[in-house]
Amino acid sequence: MNGGEDAASSAATSGPPPSLEWRFSQVFGERTAGEEVQEVDIISAIEFDKSGDHLATGDRGGRVVLFERTDSKDHGGSRRDHEQMDYAVRHPEFRYKTEFQSHEPEFDYLKSLEIEEKINKIRWCQPANGALFLLSTNDKTIKYWKVQEKKIKKICEMNIDPSNQPSPSTPPPLVPNGVLAKKEHGYLSDDFSFPPGGIPSLRLPVVTSQETSLVARCRRVYAHAHDYHINSISNSSDGETFISADDLRVNLWNLEISNQSFNIVDVKPTNMEDLTEVITSAEFHPIHCNMLAYSSSKGSIRLIDMRQSALCDSHTKLFEEPEAPGSRSFFTEIIASISDIKFSNNGRYILSRDYMTLKLWDINMDSGPVASYQVHEHLRPKLCDLYENDSIFDKFECCLSGDGLRVATGSYSNLFRVFGTSQGSTEAATLEASKNPMRRQIQTPARPSRSMSSMTRAVRRGSESPGAEANGNAYDFTTKLLHMAWHPAENSIACAAANSLYMYYA
């Protein structure tokens, strides 16, 4: 944690880092022009593992697809080779590894409710003995998967003497009782006796295991613990437990115990008519296994410490931004709802995404966010239209870079925004999920951040043209970039545009 603070303080003294220039790296599942996207192929979850060497995606068809990194960090060679490679930009490259069917559509007969197979979240667990472990969940059921290379055993040599074999075209004649009529075919009969020295031509088949195949096996199924749709799962830093959250409850599980969970947060009122807010996202602290945060539909984040009590009804800290006087409207509560929260790697900051903005919170300061980044402020006059077509309820995810110096989130027309978080930084890039990510960039510099107080609190608008995209086209609300992930150690982003997975590096 101190390392992150030292990096932030050194960045503050030396000035903000230069803005990154993003380049296209790879695309998986690219669509051709006019190709219709199948609903089951649309990507619904993306997650890097802690090493950054593996990437998992889940889709609406209940499938999980794994990718592995192919570029080697240890290139070897002479010093001159290393010096020459420093001039070239090195970036992660991935290839398809395997896929498996994680969830199937189900039907809850007690509630007459169809449970779709869509993967809501994926979380990587600690690898062991060369095997990969991950959690995946749909609306009701969480599964714990083990993916491992298994050797395929094959009989490579039968070692049968071909001279004693009958011709395949002339099967041996049989009498009605099934005994061979002739003995020259070499088959055993009732009066056969082994010679004293054995039969020199009798040999056993040889079994070898040269090929390997990736096998995904479901180790645990954690079911029947949520009455409402699961919106989050998150592993603890202890490597043994994880949480799952739905609209009203957060449950704590042990990875090895699938038939029992502990309810640690319950916001369900005695009378459901008194319900005013629901849980929208939950995340474990990356370092302290006793701390976790959850967000609500009212725009607040609660930090809780499980050491205080078994049922964490009371929070340790509450993070919420006070409402500006005179700014309330019909849409205020809807757009204040937080769709996603993420801790920074050092655990010092929490990044939250509501409909219009990204907010960065310091867990040591609960008076308000240290910075706010306006993602698509020019859509504010269109909130009525967005409400009519239900787009206002879209749940955009957010992510932070491994060093905490930048944050990113998606928008409409397959655009995503990248903001610099360093004090004094004006970095605010708008990129498109395509092979030419800078196509939508406009050349005007980003507006400088405006200080709201003596603290490092700021509002960043970035470069955007009001009411339209950067190139002047109207926004397409049917193409939205909801899911994205930042590589844990490098400036590399993976994002999902419908059924296509795009990867960029800087």
Side-chain angles (χ1 to χ4, degrees):
M1 189 146 62
N2 292 334
E5 293 171 20
D6 293 343
S9 60
S10 62
T13 55
S14 60
S19 298
L20 296 178
E21 183 181 347
W22 291 93
R23 299 179 179 90
F24 170 78
S25 174
Q26 290 173 280
V27 60
F28 297 95
E30 185 183 18
R31 286 176 314 194
T32 56
E35 181 185 352
E36 194 171 330
V37 181
Q38 300 295 320
E39 179 82 10
V40 293
D41 294 332
I42 295 176
I43 296 172
S44 55
I46 302 179
E47 188 77 8
F48 280 104
D49 71 346
K50 282 188 176 179
S51 68
D53 292 337
H54 293 92
L55 175 69
T57 65
D59 62 26
R60 294 188 184 181
R63 295 180 298 258
V64 172
V65 183
L66 304 185
F67 301 88
E68 66 178 349
R69 188 168 179 173
T70 57
D71 62 310
S72 174
K73 291 184 178 181
D74 184 15
H75 292 274
S78 65
R79 178 179 174 181
R80 180 178 293 179
D81 294 336
H82 283 286
E83 288 173 349
Q84 288 175 349
M85 291 206 66
D86 285 340
Y87 288 104
V89 178
R90 281 153 51 180
H91 62 279
E93 290 182 2
F94 288 80
R95 71 178 175 194
Y96 169 86
K97 186 177 178 76
T98 188
E99 69 178 88
F100 56 90
Q101 187 71 33
S102 174
H103 287 73
E104 301 280 358
E106 301 172 49
F107 191 80
D108 187 335
Y109 292 97
L110 291 175
K111 297 181 178 179
S112 296
L113 186 69
E114 192 173 343
I115 304 167
E116 60 180 354
E117 64 272 32
K118 185 188 101 168
I119 304 296
N120 289 344
K121 294 287 178 183
I122 295 173
R123 288 291 181 268
W124 288 91
C125 302
Q126 291 179 352
N129 301 324
L132 301 173
F133 295 88
L134 51 89
L135 290 164
S136 62
T137 184
N138 65 352
D139 285 339
K140 294 289 184 180
T141 306
I142 307 159
K143 294 186 179 181
Y144 183 44
W145 291 92
K146 177 182 181 180
V147 181
Q148 191 174 28
E149 281 192 348
K150 289 282 182 80
K151 290 183 177 179
I152 302 174
K153 293 183 178 179
K154 286 187 176 181
I155 298 174
C156 71
E157 198 177 343
M158 285 297 291
N159 284 343
I160 298 174
D161 190 351
S163 61
N164 291 335
Q165 293 301 301
S167 168
S169 58
T170 57
L174 301 172
V175 294
N177 63 0
V179 180
L180 289 170
K182 295 183 180 180
K183 294 183 182 179
E184 60 265 22
H185 290 284
Y187 293 96
L188 296 178
S189 62
D190 291 338
D191 58 349
F192 179 83
S193 61
F194 282 94
I199 302 175
S201 62
L202 180 64
R203 288 169 287 177
L204 293 173
V206 177
V207 178
T208 61
S209 53
Q210 295 175 344
E211 297 180 21
T212 58
S213 173
L214 279 165
V215 178
R217 190 163 64 90
C218 184
R219 293 282 307 275
R220 304 271 189 281
V221 177
Y222 313 92
H224 312 301
H226 288 279
D227 292 331
Y228 304 93
H229 290 179
I230 299 171
N231 55 48
S232 304
I233 51 175
S234 179
N235 330 52
S236 170
S237 58
D238 62 12
E240 297 179 357
T241 56
F242 70 94
I243 55 169
S244 58
D246 64 20
D247 290 344
L248 298 179
R249 291 188 176 96
V250 178
N251 291 335
L252 178 69
W253 302 82
N254 188 297
L255 282 169
E256 300 301 319
I257 303 170
S258 59
N259 60 355
Q260 185 182 34
S261 66
F262 296 95
N263 177 225
I264 55 174
V265 176
D266 189 349
V267 299
K268 185 177 180 180
T270 310
N271 184 357
M272 284 295 282
E273 291 181 2
D274 299 331
L275 183 68
T276 57
E277 62 181 331
V278 296
I279 298 168
T280 56
S281 182
E283 187 90 359
F284 252 123
H285 192 281
I287 299 169
H288 304 301
C289 60
N290 56 287
M291 293 178 67
L292 61 98
Y294 68 91
S295 60
S296 81
S297 56
K298 277 195 167 181
S300 60
I301 301 171
R302 289 172 173 85
L303 190 68
I304 61 175
D305 189 338
M306 292 191 292
R307 295 174 299 184
Q308 289 184 340
S309 64
L311 185 61
C312 304
D313 286 335
S314 60
H315 50 266
T316 307
K317 285 190 178 178
L318 174 66
F319 305 96
E320 58 184 355
E321 190 170 27
E323 189 179 310
S327 62
R328 189 165 186 82
S329 71
F330 173 75
F331 304 108
T332 300
E333 279 197 18
I334 300 174
I335 63 174
S337 177
I338 295 174
S339 55
D340 190 28
I341 58 170
K342 293 283 193 316
F343 274 99
S344 61
N345 278 357
N346 60 16
R348 172 71 184 271
Y349 298 97
I350 299 174
L351 180 68
S352 68
R353 170 70 204 264
D354 57 43
Y355 188 69
M356 300 297 288
T357 61
L358 272 176
K359 291 186 175 77
L360 191 65
W361 308 79
D362 186 333
I363 64 169
N364 296 330
M365 191 180 83
D366 54 7
S367 57
V370 294
S372 294
Y373 309 96
Q374 294 174 346
V375 180
H376 38 221
E377 185 62 22
H378 51 273
L379 295 183
R380 198 171 290 274
K382 299 178 182 290
L383 288 178
C384 192
D385 297 334
L386 293 163
Y387 179 77
E388 290 291 330
N389 61 23
D390 284 345
S391 295
I392 202 168
F393 302 107
D394 288 333
K395 300 186 186 306
F396 292 94
E397 292 178 4
C398 58
C399 55
L400 298 95
S401 61
D403 55 15
L405 296 178
R406 291 171 182 87
V407 295
T409 191
S411 182
Y412 293 102
S413 298
N414 284 342
L415 300 180
F416 64 97
R417 311 291 310 278
V418 180
F419 300 96
T421 61
S422 302
Q423 192 172 358
S425 173
T426 58
E427 183 174 358
T430 304
L431 303 114
E432 181 188 32
S434 68
K435 286 188 174 180
N436 183 11
M438 306 297 283
R439 183 173 67 168
R440 305 293 175 103
Q441 274 287 46
I442 54 177
Q443 300 303 316
T444 55
R447 301 177 195 173
S449 58
R450 299 184 309 197
S451 178
M452 291 172 64
S453 71
S454 59
M455 305 294 291
T456 58
R457 206 174 300 175
V459 176
R460 186 84 44 75
R461 279 199 172 84
S463 333
E464 54 183 36
S465 52
E469 297 176 39
N471 63 355
N473 297 334
Y475 257 75
D476 180 4
F477 298 118
T478 60
T479 55
K480 54 196 93 169
L481 203 150
L482 301 176
H483 311 286
M484 60 193 308
W486 200 302
H487 191 281
E490 302 177 29
N491 285 323
S492 176
I493 289 177
C495 53
N499 65 328
S500 302
L501 176 67
Y502 286 92
M503 303 193 72
Y504 303 95
Y505 70 98

